[in-house]
Amino acid sequence: MSENRENLLVVDGMALLFRAFYATAVSKQFMFNQQGIPTNGVQGFMRHMFAAIRQSNPTHTLICWDMGSQTFRNELYDGYKAGRTAPPEEMIPQFDLAKEVATGFGFVNLGVPGFEADDCIGTITVQAASSISTTVLSGDKDLLQLIAPTNDVWIMQKGYGNYKRYNEATFFEEMGITPRQFIDVKALMGDTSDGYPGVRGIGEKTAIKLIQEYQSIEGVLANLDKLKPAQQTKIQEDLAMLELSQKLAKIHTEVPLEMNLDSLKYNGFQEDAYSVIEKYGLKTLTRDVE
């Protein structure tokens, strides 16, 4: 990443909120506040935010959110994310609460209907590239395709403040491909959590080998006759799904949104942090703002 002093921390809100919720939901520690609303996810979400800020020391921050389950990808493919179960009832009121609390602490929330948070994150990192370096925080490895000279991606590990930090060099070292090629690997192997199959019978190892050897899906298709007969057959039988999977795997980086850097400046804790904690009944956050 460039030595640019300024850095924008771009956060995948849902990834942090879900991780925080499930970490305590197992033991039924939902922590209801004075209004009877569970706050376990929200409190954990904010603790993840504070931990990331302590480590990345950003000059600017932004939290991106999914806006409902319907996006352009559902129009491309009915089965997209179709297998996902509804969130637990204790989680549902925390979606809006997390945004309210984040606003109370001075963070900006962003979401665009019809697009996923990933697409907003991708668009922001591309728009920001000429003026500020960015760090993306998520638990979702799909975002690794966004790694660029001006953009690092941190993938959350267990606990608070533990990340696998990727830049172009560390990603290549681990995967043997470029971030851009990761889209084609995903398209070949599919993604069970997102519900698109890719090419049936081709797993991650084979997908990586093919892309390393032929650079891209287009390169693989141009050299089909050089592949093992079984691989040729699998790809030919699933050509239409491969093409569709490539569209589903690619993060859209041209979401119609305007980025106003000045509004994203991070100024540390405001004096009203305690009143936010009091208002929403978020006792566990007291130690984070002291």
PDB file of all heavy atoms in Angstrom, residues 217-246:
ATOM      1  N   ILE A 217     -10.533 -17.698 -17.143  1.00  0.00           N
ATOM      2  CA  ILE A 217     -11.526 -18.642 -17.675  1.00  0.00           C
ATOM      3  C   ILE A 217     -11.460 -18.648 -19.198  1.00  0.00           C
ATOM      4  O   ILE A 217     -11.532 -19.708 -19.826  1.00  0.00           O
ATOM      5  CB  ILE A 217     -12.945 -18.287 -17.164  1.00  0.00           C
ATOM      6  CG1 ILE A 217     -13.084 -18.767 -15.713  1.00  0.00           C
ATOM      7  CG2 ILE A 217     -14.029 -18.915 -18.035  1.00  0.00           C
ATOM      8  CD1 ILE A 217     -14.322 -18.313 -14.998  1.00  0.00           C
ATOM      9  N   GLU A 218     -11.281 -17.463 -19.781  1.00  0.00           N
ATOM     10  CA  GLU A 218     -11.171 -17.381 -21.250  1.00  0.00           C
ATOM     11  C   GLU A 218      -9.972 -18.210 -21.732  1.00  0.00           C
ATOM     12  O   GLU A 218     -10.057 -18.922 -22.736  1.00  0.00           O
ATOM     13  CB  GLU A 218     -11.012 -15.910 -21.693  1.00  0.00           C
ATOM     14  CG  GLU A 218     -12.239 -15.027 -21.458  1.00  0.00           C
ATOM     15  CD  GLU A 218     -12.573 -14.775 -19.988  1.00  0.00           C
ATOM     16  OE1 GLU A 218     -11.642 -14.696 -19.147  1.00  0.00           O
ATOM     17  OE2 GLU A 218     -13.775 -14.680 -19.666  1.00  0.00           O
ATOM     18  N   GLY A 219      -8.869 -18.138 -20.981  1.00  0.00           N
ATOM     19  CA  GLY A 219      -7.676 -18.923 -21.316  1.00  0.00           C
ATOM     20  C   GLY A 219      -7.922 -20.422 -21.196  1.00  0.00           C
ATOM     21  O   GLY A 219      -7.457 -21.207 -22.034  1.00  0.00           O
ATOM     22  N   VAL A 220      -8.680 -20.815 -20.164  1.00  0.00           N
ATOM     23  CA  VAL A 220      -9.022 -22.242 -19.982  1.00  0.00           C
ATOM     24  C   VAL A 220      -9.864 -22.718 -21.163  1.00  0.00           C
ATOM     25  O   VAL A 220      -9.601 -23.774 -21.756  1.00  0.00           O
ATOM     26  CB  VAL A 220      -9.788 -22.457 -18.647  1.00  0.00           C
ATOM     27  CG1 VAL A 220     -10.341 -23.889 -18.567  1.00  0.00           C
ATOM     28  CG2 VAL A 220      -8.887 -22.181 -17.440  1.00  0.00           C
ATOM     29  N   LEU A 221     -10.862 -21.916 -21.539  1.00  0.00           N
ATOM     30  CA  LEU A 221     -11.765 -22.322 -22.633  1.00  0.00           C
ATOM     31  C   LEU A 221     -11.021 -22.384 -23.968  1.00  0.00           C
ATOM     32  O   LEU A 221     -11.311 -23.235 -24.805  1.00  0.00           O
ATOM     33  CB  LEU A 221     -12.958 -21.350 -22.735  1.00  0.00           C
ATOM     34  CG  LEU A 221     -13.888 -21.316 -21.511  1.00  0.00           C
ATOM     35  CD1 LEU A 221     -15.002 -20.306 -21.691  1.00  0.00           C
ATOM     36  CD2 LEU A 221     -14.474 -22.710 -21.224  1.00  0.00           C
ATOM     37  N   ALA A 222     -10.025 -21.511 -24.140  1.00  0.00           N
ATOM     38  CA  ALA A 222      -9.252 -21.512 -25.393  1.00  0.00           C
ATOM     39  C   ALA A 222      -8.325 -22.729 -25.476  1.00  0.00           C
ATOM     40  O   ALA A 222      -7.845 -23.089 -26.553  1.00  0.00           O
ATOM     41  CB  ALA A 222      -8.439 -20.230 -25.498  1.00  0.00           C
ATOM     42  N   ASN A 223      -8.068 -23.351 -24.319  1.00  0.00           N
ATOM     43  CA  ASN A 223      -7.152 -24.508 -24.282  1.00  0.00           C
ATOM     44  C   ASN A 223      -7.839 -25.778 -23.791  1.00  0.00           C
ATOM     45  O   ASN A 223      -7.182 -26.672 -23.259  1.00  0.00           O
ATOM     46  CB  ASN A 223      -5.965 -24.188 -23.368  1.00  0.00           C
ATOM     47  CG  ASN A 223      -5.055 -23.138 -23.973  1.00  0.00           C
ATOM     48  OD1 ASN A 223      -4.240 -23.433 -24.830  1.00  0.00           O
ATOM     49  ND2 ASN A 223      -5.221 -21.892 -23.527  1.00  0.00           N
ATOM     50  N   LEU A 224      -9.128 -25.861 -24.002  1.00  0.00           N
ATOM     51  CA  LEU A 224      -9.896 -27.020 -23.507  1.00  0.00           C
ATOM     52  C   LEU A 224      -9.312 -28.347 -23.955  1.00  0.00           C
ATOM     53  O   LEU A 224      -9.279 -29.313 -23.196  1.00  0.00           O
ATOM     54  CB  LEU A 224     -11.358 -26.935 -23.987  1.00  0.00           C
ATOM     55  CG  LEU A 224     -12.402 -26.344 -23.040  1.00  0.00           C
ATOM     56  CD1 LEU A 224     -13.783 -26.501 -23.611  1.00  0.00           C
ATOM     57  CD2 LEU A 224     -12.322 -26.985 -21.647  1.00  0.00           C
ATOM     58  N   ASP A 225      -8.828 -28.372 -25.189  1.00  0.00           N
ATOM     59  CA  ASP A 225      -8.309 -29.642 -25.735  1.00  0.00           C
ATOM     60  C   ASP A 225      -7.066 -30.143 -25.001  1.00  0.00           C
ATOM     61  O   ASP A 225      -6.685 -31.298 -25.120  1.00  0.00           O
ATOM     62  CB  ASP A 225      -8.010 -29.494 -27.239  1.00  0.00           C
ATOM     63  CG  ASP A 225      -7.043 -28.345 -27.520  1.00  0.00           C
ATOM     64  OD1 ASP A 225      -7.030 -27.382 -26.716  1.00  0.00           O
ATOM     65  OD2 ASP A 225      -6.298 -28.409 -28.514  1.00  0.00           O
ATOM     66  N   LYS A 226      -6.426 -29.251 -24.205  1.00  0.00           N
ATOM     67  CA  LYS A 226      -5.224 -29.664 -23.465  1.00  0.00           C
ATOM     68  C   LYS A 226      -5.572 -30.228 -22.091  1.00  0.00           C
ATOM     69  O   LYS A 226      -4.706 -30.751 -21.386  1.00  0.00           O
ATOM     70  CB  LYS A 226      -4.279 -28.469 -23.298  1.00  0.00           C
ATOM     71  CG  LYS A 226      -3.724 -27.959 -24.614  1.00  0.00           C
ATOM     72  CD  LYS A 226      -2.776 -26.811 -24.404  1.00  0.00           C
ATOM     73  CE  LYS A 226      -2.343 -26.223 -25.741  1.00  0.00           C
ATOM     74  NZ  LYS A 226      -1.962 -24.833 -25.624  1.00  0.00           N
ATOM     75  N   LEU A 227      -6.822 -30.085 -21.668  1.00  0.00           N
ATOM     76  CA  LEU A 227      -7.217 -30.560 -20.331  1.00  0.00           C
ATOM     77  C   LEU A 227      -7.473 -32.063 -20.355  1.00  0.00           C
ATOM     78  O   LEU A 227      -7.666 -32.669 -21.406  1.00  0.00           O
ATOM     79  CB  LEU A 227      -8.498 -29.845 -19.864  1.00  0.00           C
ATOM     80  CG  LEU A 227      -8.504 -28.310 -19.842  1.00  0.00           C
ATOM     81  CD1 LEU A 227      -9.755 -27.808 -19.130  1.00  0.00           C
ATOM     82  CD2 LEU A 227      -7.273 -27.750 -19.158  1.00  0.00           C
ATOM     83  N   LYS A 228      -7.514 -32.644 -19.154  1.00  0.00           N
ATOM     84  CA  LYS A 228      -7.881 -34.058 -19.039  1.00  0.00           C
ATOM     85  C   LYS A 228      -9.301 -34.225 -19.585  1.00  0.00           C
ATOM     86  O   LYS A 228     -10.144 -33.339 -19.383  1.00  0.00           O
ATOM     87  CB  LYS A 228      -7.859 -34.496 -17.573  1.00  0.00           C
ATOM     88  CG  LYS A 228      -6.485 -34.458 -16.940  1.00  0.00           C
ATOM     89  CD  LYS A 228      -6.579 -34.724 -15.453  1.00  0.00           C
ATOM     90  CE  LYS A 228      -5.229 -34.556 -14.775  1.00  0.00           C
ATOM     91  NZ  LYS A 228      -5.346 -34.514 -13.323  1.00  0.00           N
ATOM     92  N   PRO A 229      -9.579 -35.370 -20.221  1.00  0.00           N
ATOM     93  CA  PRO A 229     -10.909 -35.575 -20.815  1.00  0.00           C
ATOM     94  C   PRO A 229     -12.054 -35.342 -19.816  1.00  0.00           C
ATOM     95  O   PRO A 229     -13.061 -34.713 -20.160  1.00  0.00           O
ATOM     96  CB  PRO A 229     -10.875 -37.039 -21.278  1.00  0.00           C
ATOM     97  CG  PRO A 229      -9.420 -37.310 -21.506  1.00  0.00           C
ATOM     98  CD  PRO A 229      -8.671 -36.485 -20.525  1.00  0.00           C
ATOM     99  N   ALA A 230     -11.873 -35.795 -18.571  1.00  0.00           N
ATOM    100  CA  ALA A 230     -12.943 -35.627 -17.571  1.00  0.00           C
ATOM    101  C   ALA A 230     -13.195 -34.143 -17.291  1.00  0.00           C
ATOM    102  O   ALA A 230     -14.339 -33.702 -17.155  1.00  0.00           O
ATOM    103  CB  ALA A 230     -12.576 -36.348 -16.276  1.00  0.00           C
ATOM    104  N   GLN A 231     -12.110 -33.361 -17.223  1.00  0.00           N
ATOM    105  CA  GLN A 231     -12.250 -31.913 -16.976  1.00  0.00           C
ATOM    106  C   GLN A 231     -12.936 -31.233 -18.164  1.00  0.00           C
ATOM    107  O   GLN A 231     -13.800 -30.374 -17.982  1.00  0.00           O
ATOM    108  CB  GLN A 231     -10.880 -31.275 -16.725  1.00  0.00           C
ATOM    109  CG  GLN A 231     -10.280 -31.640 -15.372  1.00  0.00           C
ATOM    110  CD  GLN A 231      -8.867 -31.083 -15.195  1.00  0.00           C
ATOM    111  OE1 GLN A 231      -8.274 -30.546 -16.126  1.00  0.00           O
ATOM    112  NE2 GLN A 231      -8.329 -31.216 -13.990  1.00  0.00           N
ATOM    113  N   GLN A 232     -12.536 -31.648 -19.373  1.00  0.00           N
ATOM    114  CA  GLN A 232     -13.168 -31.092 -20.583  1.00  0.00           C
ATOM    115  C   GLN A 232     -14.674 -31.293 -20.539  1.00  0.00           C
ATOM    116  O   GLN A 232     -15.456 -30.370 -20.770  1.00  0.00           O
ATOM    117  CB  GLN A 232     -12.622 -31.777 -21.845  1.00  0.00           C
ATOM    118  CG  GLN A 232     -11.202 -31.383 -22.192  1.00  0.00           C
ATOM    119  CD  GLN A 232     -10.760 -32.051 -23.504  1.00  0.00           C
ATOM    120  OE1 GLN A 232     -11.530 -32.139 -24.450  1.00  0.00           O
ATOM    121  NE2 GLN A 232      -9.513 -32.494 -23.554  1.00  0.00           N
ATOM    122  N   THR A 233     -15.064 -32.519 -20.214  1.00  0.00           N
ATOM    123  CA  THR A 233     -16.491 -32.862 -20.183  1.00  0.00           C
ATOM    124  C   THR A 233     -17.231 -32.029 -19.154  1.00  0.00           C
ATOM    125  O   THR A 233     -18.292 -31.459 -19.430  1.00  0.00           O
ATOM    126  CB  THR A 233     -16.674 -34.370 -19.850  1.00  0.00           C
ATOM    127  OG1 THR A 233     -15.884 -35.122 -20.770  1.00  0.00           O
ATOM    128  CG2 THR A 233     -18.122 -34.797 -19.958  1.00  0.00           C
ATOM    129  N   LYS A 234     -16.659 -31.939 -17.944  1.00  0.00           N
ATOM    130  CA  LYS A 234     -17.316 -31.180 -16.863  1.00  0.00           C
ATOM    131  C   LYS A 234     -17.541 -29.732 -17.289  1.00  0.00           C
ATOM    132  O   LYS A 234     -18.616 -29.169 -17.095  1.00  0.00           O
ATOM    133  CB  LYS A 234     -16.458 -31.220 -15.592  1.00  0.00           C
ATOM    134  CG  LYS A 234     -16.524 -32.543 -14.847  1.00  0.00           C
ATOM    135  CD  LYS A 234     -15.472 -32.576 -13.739  1.00  0.00           C
ATOM    136  CE  LYS A 234     -15.416 -33.968 -13.105  1.00  0.00           C
ATOM    137  NZ  LYS A 234     -14.256 -34.119 -12.220  1.00  0.00           N
ATOM    138  N   ILE A 235     -16.498 -29.114 -17.853  1.00  0.00           N
ATOM    139  CA  ILE A 235     -16.601 -27.703 -18.236  1.00  0.00           C
ATOM    140  C   ILE A 235     -17.599 -27.524 -19.384  1.00  0.00           C
ATOM    141  O   ILE A 235     -18.440 -26.611 -19.350  1.00  0.00           O
ATOM    142  CB  ILE A 235     -15.204 -27.140 -18.599  1.00  0.00           C
ATOM    143  CG1 ILE A 235     -14.348 -27.029 -17.324  1.00  0.00           C
ATOM    144  CG2 ILE A 235     -15.322 -25.767 -19.264  1.00  0.00           C
ATOM    145  CD1 ILE A 235     -12.889 -26.703 -17.549  1.00  0.00           C
ATOM    146  N   GLN A 236     -17.539 -28.415 -20.381  1.00  0.00           N
ATOM    147  CA  GLN A 236     -18.466 -28.285 -21.516  1.00  0.00           C
ATOM    148  C   GLN A 236     -19.917 -28.457 -21.080  1.00  0.00           C
ATOM    149  O   GLN A 236     -20.802 -27.757 -21.562  1.00  0.00           O
ATOM    150  CB  GLN A 236     -18.105 -29.294 -22.614  1.00  0.00           C
ATOM    151  CG  GLN A 236     -16.924 -28.801 -23.452  1.00  0.00           C
ATOM    152  CD  GLN A 236     -16.303 -29.897 -24.299  1.00  0.00           C
ATOM    153  OE1 GLN A 236     -16.341 -31.076 -23.944  1.00  0.00           O
ATOM    154  NE2 GLN A 236     -15.719 -29.517 -25.426  1.00  0.00           N
ATOM    155  N   GLU A 237     -20.138 -29.348 -20.132  1.00  0.00           N
ATOM    156  CA  GLU A 237     -21.520 -29.581 -19.667  1.00  0.00           C
ATOM    157  C   GLU A 237     -22.046 -28.413 -18.840  1.00  0.00           C
ATOM    158  O   GLU A 237     -23.251 -28.209 -18.737  1.00  0.00           O
ATOM    159  CB  GLU A 237     -21.584 -30.873 -18.831  1.00  0.00           C
ATOM    160  CG  GLU A 237     -21.546 -32.123 -19.695  1.00  0.00           C
ATOM    161  CD  GLU A 237     -21.572 -33.406 -18.865  1.00  0.00           C
ATOM    162  OE1 GLU A 237     -21.533 -33.314 -17.622  1.00  0.00           O
ATOM    163  OE2 GLU A 237     -21.633 -34.491 -19.478  1.00  0.00           O
ATOM    164  N   ASP A 238     -21.145 -27.660 -18.228  1.00  0.00           N
ATOM    165  CA  ASP A 238     -21.577 -26.569 -17.344  1.00  0.00           C
ATOM    166  C   ASP A 238     -21.165 -25.185 -17.852  1.00  0.00           C
ATOM    167  O   ASP A 238     -21.015 -24.247 -17.075  1.00  0.00           O
ATOM    168  CB  ASP A 238     -21.000 -26.783 -15.928  1.00  0.00           C
ATOM    169  CG  ASP A 238     -21.946 -27.587 -15.040  1.00  0.00           C
ATOM    170  OD1 ASP A 238     -23.138 -27.649 -15.375  1.00  0.00           O
ATOM    171  OD2 ASP A 238     -21.490 -28.131 -14.023  1.00  0.00           O
ATOM    172  N   LEU A 239     -21.007 -25.059 -19.163  1.00  0.00           N
ATOM    173  CA  LEU A 239     -20.528 -23.785 -19.733  1.00  0.00           C
ATOM    174  C   LEU A 239     -21.417 -22.597 -19.357  1.00  0.00           C
ATOM    175  O   LEU A 239     -20.926 -21.542 -18.962  1.00  0.00           O
ATOM    176  CB  LEU A 239     -20.454 -23.880 -21.258  1.00  0.00           C
ATOM    177  CG  LEU A 239     -19.078 -24.206 -21.851  1.00  0.00           C
ATOM    178  CD1 LEU A 239     -19.147 -24.206 -23.364  1.00  0.00           C
ATOM    179  CD2 LEU A 239     -18.028 -23.188 -21.377  1.00  0.00           C
ATOM    180  N   ALA A 240     -22.728 -22.787 -19.487  1.00  0.00           N
ATOM    181  CA  ALA A 240     -23.660 -21.682 -19.197  1.00  0.00           C
ATOM    182  C   ALA A 240     -23.566 -21.295 -17.721  1.00  0.00           C
ATOM    183  O   ALA A 240     -23.552 -20.106 -17.377  1.00  0.00           O
ATOM    184  CB  ALA A 240     -25.087 -22.082 -19.558  1.00  0.00           C
ATOM    185  N   MET A 241     -23.473 -22.300 -16.845  1.00  0.00           N
ATOM    186  CA  MET A 241     -23.381 -22.012 -15.409  1.00  0.00           C
ATOM    187  C   MET A 241     -22.043 -21.375 -15.059  1.00  0.00           C
ATOM    188  O   MET A 241     -21.958 -20.525 -14.171  1.00  0.00           O
ATOM    189  CB  MET A 241     -23.592 -23.302 -14.598  1.00  0.00           C
ATOM    190  CG  MET A 241     -23.599 -23.092 -13.092  1.00  0.00           C
ATOM    191  SD  MET A 241     -24.653 -21.710 -12.525  1.00  0.00           S
ATOM    192  CE  MET A 241     -26.261 -22.473 -12.549  1.00  0.00           C
ATOM    193  N   LEU A 242     -20.993 -21.746 -15.789  1.00  0.00           N
ATOM    194  CA  LEU A 242     -19.676 -21.139 -15.557  1.00  0.00           C
ATOM    195  C   LEU A 242     -19.720 -19.640 -15.879  1.00  0.00           C
ATOM    196  O   LEU A 242     -19.237 -18.806 -15.119  1.00  0.00           O
ATOM    197  CB  LEU A 242     -18.617 -21.847 -16.417  1.00  0.00           C
ATOM    198  CG  LEU A 242     -17.198 -21.261 -16.359  1.00  0.00           C
ATOM    199  CD1 LEU A 242     -16.646 -21.274 -14.940  1.00  0.00           C
ATOM    200  CD2 LEU A 242     -16.260 -22.036 -17.290  1.00  0.00           C
ATOM    201  N   GLU A 243     -20.335 -19.329 -17.009  1.00  0.00           N
ATOM    202  CA  GLU A 243     -20.454 -17.924 -17.424  1.00  0.00           C
ATOM    203  C   GLU A 243     -21.275 -17.129 -16.393  1.00  0.00           C
ATOM    204  O   GLU A 243     -20.918 -16.016 -16.010  1.00  0.00           O
ATOM    205  CB  GLU A 243     -21.137 -17.868 -18.797  1.00  0.00           C
ATOM    206  CG  GLU A 243     -21.077 -16.498 -19.430  1.00  0.00           C
ATOM    207  CD  GLU A 243     -21.847 -16.448 -20.751  1.00  0.00           C
ATOM    208  OE1 GLU A 243     -21.950 -17.494 -21.432  1.00  0.00           O
ATOM    209  OE2 GLU A 243     -22.345 -15.364 -21.078  1.00  0.00           O
ATOM    210  N   LEU A 244     -22.368 -17.726 -15.940  1.00  0.00           N
ATOM    211  CA  LEU A 244     -23.225 -17.072 -14.942  1.00  0.00           C
ATOM    212  C   LEU A 244     -22.483 -16.935 -13.606  1.00  0.00           C
ATOM    213  O   LEU A 244     -22.532 -15.880 -12.955  1.00  0.00           O
ATOM    214  CB  LEU A 244     -24.507 -17.892 -14.752  1.00  0.00           C
ATOM    215  CG  LEU A 244     -25.528 -17.367 -13.739  1.00  0.00           C
ATOM    216  CD1 LEU A 244     -25.983 -15.962 -14.091  1.00  0.00           C
ATOM    217  CD2 LEU A 244     -26.733 -18.300 -13.660  1.00  0.00           C
ATOM    218  N   SER A 245     -21.767 -17.992 -13.205  1.00  0.00           N
ATOM    219  CA  SER A 245     -21.024 -17.965 -11.932  1.00  0.00           C
ATOM    220  C   SER A 245     -19.972 -16.867 -11.928  1.00  0.00           C
ATOM    221  O   SER A 245     -19.709 -16.245 -10.900  1.00  0.00           O
ATOM    222  CB  SER A 245     -20.367 -19.325 -11.661  1.00  0.00           C
ATOM    223  OG  SER A 245     -21.357 -20.318 -11.458  1.00  0.00           O
ATOM    224  N   GLN A 246     -19.384 -16.606 -13.101  1.00  0.00           N
ATOM    225  CA  GLN A 246     -18.374 -15.547 -13.199  1.00  0.00           C
ATOM    226  C   GLN A 246     -19.021 -14.183 -12.901  1.00  0.00           C
ATOM    227  O   GLN A 246     -18.457 -13.345 -12.203  1.00  0.00           O
ATOM    228  CB  GLN A 246     -17.751 -15.556 -14.592  1.00  0.00           C
ATOM    229  CG  GLN A 246     -16.461 -14.746 -14.689  1.00  0.00           C
ATOM    230  CD  GLN A 246     -15.841 -14.823 -16.083  1.00  0.00           C
ATOM    231  OE1 GLN A 246     -16.520 -15.110 -17.067  1.00  0.00           O
ATOM    232  NE2 GLN A 246     -14.550 -14.563 -16.180  1.00  0.00           N
TER     233      GLN A 246
END
